[in-house]
Amino acid sequence: MATAYETLRQRIIDIVVNARGADGSLGADALQKSIPLGRFRASVDRAPLTDPTYPASYFDRSIYVDWISDEDDEVVNNPLDSAHFMLAHLSVSHGVYYGTAASAFVTLASGTEVKATVALTPKERGLNDALRIKRALACPDLLRGGTTIDPAPLSCVREGLTTLQDLGNGRLVVVTNYSLRYQSNQAVSYDP
């Protein structure tokens, strides 16, 4: 059995990296807001993108999910109730390569991007990708549709700003914080 946060993290990865809903099985809205397979990839060994030893060839459009905090959602849950409503705060980061070395390491959107121009607009590209991720994570059909998981994600919305962190050496990290509402089951231990 996976832990609660592993289950929720995997749903986020399925939406952003594994093309959840891109086959049309979750409906028209999910299809329209889904992210094509190959656009993003999970970070190598779940390493943060700010790690100076992060491999250059895997940096561009790699996704890193980081948990910030967790709390009861709006009211204190009754410990005797089987369902608890929780609110997790997390960040979703992705890498953008730019500059002269970018052409060797850039992951292009199929048919719409050109390596020569991508290297010149890293901030625009990073913010556009963040918008694409935000739309997908906020889509109820992508988040909740299809196979039920436990804990069950209920909603995922951006919290505050999307920020850009220039790490130097052609690496830019785009960070967006989210609030993820979910329902947990008190009868489940969520132990690994």
Side-chain angles (χ1 to χ4, degrees), residues 1-4 188-192:
M1 169 191 262
T3 66
V188 177
S189 67
Y190 299 118
D191 277 342

Side-chain angles (χ1 to χ4, degrees), residues 7-46:
T7 300
L8 294 168
R9 180 190 172 285
Q10 189 57 51
R11 178 56 55 98
I12 291 166
I13 293 297
D14 285 345
I15 293 169
V16 179
V17 176
N18 298 330
R20 181 171 166 76
D23 61 357
S25 64
L26 299 176
D29 192 45
L31 176 62
Q32 195 262 338
K33 292 177 180 162
S34 67
I35 298 172
L37 188 62
R39 177 72 50 92
F40 298 101
R41 55 186 157 200
S43 68
V44 174
D45 296 329
R46 297 189 187 171

Side-chain angles (χ1 to χ4, degrees), residues 120-186:
L120 303 175
T121 58
K123 291 180 179 180
E124 202 173 288
R125 181 172 177 246
L127 290 172
N128 191 63
D129 283 348
L131 177 61
R132 184 75 188 261
I133 293 167
K134 175 184 156 289
R135 288 184 57 208
L137 291 178
C139 177
D141 294 333
L142 287 174
L143 191 65
R144 300 187 307 237
T147 306
T148 304
I149 60 172
D150 184 26
L154 303 173
S155 69
C156 188
V157 295
R158 184 170 71 173
E159 217 177 51
L161 305 172
T162 293
T163 59
L164 305 169
Q165 299 173 348
D166 193 332
L167 303 179
N169 296 321
R171 294 181 185 211
L172 181 71
V173 176
V174 183
V175 182
T176 306
N177 291 336
Y178 291 91
S179 292
L180 175 65
R181 287 183 162 72
Y182 68 95
Q183 179 181 333
S184 67
N185 182 342
Q186 288 304 94

Side-chain angles (χ1 to χ4, degrees), residues 55-103:
S57 59
Y58 292 99
F59 183 81
D60 195 64
R61 286 187 164 150
S62 281
I63 299 295
Y64 177 68
V65 177
D66 192 23
W67 300 102
I68 299 168
S69 65
D70 193 64
E71 62 182 303
D72 287 351
D73 187 16
E74 296 181 19
V75 297
V76 176
N77 287 301
N78 181 339
L80 300 177
D81 289 343
S82 61
H84 278 202
F85 295 93
M86 307 295 292
L87 178 63
H89 302 275
L90 64 134
S91 68
V92 177
S93 305
H94 68 278
V96 175
Y97 230 113
Y98 68 90
T100 55
S103 62

